[in-house]
Amino acid sequence: MSKPVFITRRERFNAAHKLYNEKWTEAKNLEIFGKCANPNWHGHNYDLYVTVQGEVDPETGYCMDLRFLSDLIEEKVIEKTDHKNLNLDVDFMRGKMASTENLAIAIWEQLEAGIAAKGCRLHCIRLEETENNFVEYYGAS
Ligand code: NI
């Protein structure tokens, strides 16, 4: 009988961004996004939780080696975002509004294949922008 388990790795990064829709006037951007539209950017300390589902390997007792998962997140997400500007510097955010929602979805797309290659399934991306605001993404249904 299969016994799927869920394991989670937390990583952190900090990045600058602004929420600004170029199709709108300055006034409308300020009305919709408030301080988040500040032209000279602002930053967040993001907490990223990557949850993977898989079976326990009888030989290791692991679902997935968390060192592998950490290295994968480092390569695909942290190196590209940490101390960067999400609007300007990050290839996988190009052309997207730099919201927590879009960032969580883009991080999923960065990680899904590498996790699947190890025989596990990406279950959830939880991205905390502040201690009060966070997004969870479970993949396209
Ligand atoms: Ni912000």
Side-chain angles (χ1 to χ4, degrees):
M1 198 159 85
S2 85
K3 295 175 183 166
V5 295
F6 297 83
I7 59 163
T8 300
R9 173 74 190 178
R10 181 188 68 176
E11 300 286 344
R12 290 166 148 168
F13 60 95
N14 61 68
H17 79 156
K18 67 178 173 185
L19 294 176
Y20 192 89
N21 188 324
E22 309 225 329
K23 295 178 195 145
W24 296 347
T25 62
E26 184 93 32
K28 180 161 183 188
N29 273 287
L30 279 173
E31 179 198 327
I32 301 294
F33 297 126
K35 287 192 296 187
C36 296
N38 176 35
N40 289 331
W41 319 102
H42 66 278
H44 296 283
N45 295 316
Y46 291 93
D47 279 353
L48 169 63
Y49 296 82
V50 177
T51 301
V52 167
Q53 181 195 353
E55 300 281 327
V56 175
D57 181 326
E59 293 189 342
T60 59
Y62 287 169
C63 164
M64 171 176 278
D65 185 340
L66 284 169
R67 199 173 36 195
F68 166 82
L69 185 56
S70 175
D71 288 348
L72 182 72
I73 300 167
E74 177 72 27
E75 180 199 337
K76 300 284 188 183
V77 179
I78 307 299
E79 279 178 14
K80 296 180 176 189
T81 55
D82 191 36
H83 290 70
K84 298 282 169 56
N85 182 311
L86 298 175
N87 298 72
L88 302 178
D89 300 330
V90 180
D91 58 358
F92 63 77
M93 289 300 290
R94 206 149 286 155
K96 298 171 185 168
M97 293 290 294
S99 65
T100 314
E101 291 88 331
N102 282 343
L103 187 53
I105 292 167
I107 289 171
W108 174 289
E109 290 165 355
Q110 286 295 108
L111 296 175
E112 186 178 22
I115 290 165
K118 286 285 182 181
C120 292
R121 198 182 67 78
L122 180 53
H123 173 68
C124 178
I125 297 295
R126 176 185 171 110
L127 184 61
E128 298 183 350
E129 186 182 71
T130 70
E131 59 186 284
N132 294 322
N133 297 339
F134 58 87
V135 167
E136 289 176 334
Y137 182 60
Y138 294 89
S141 52

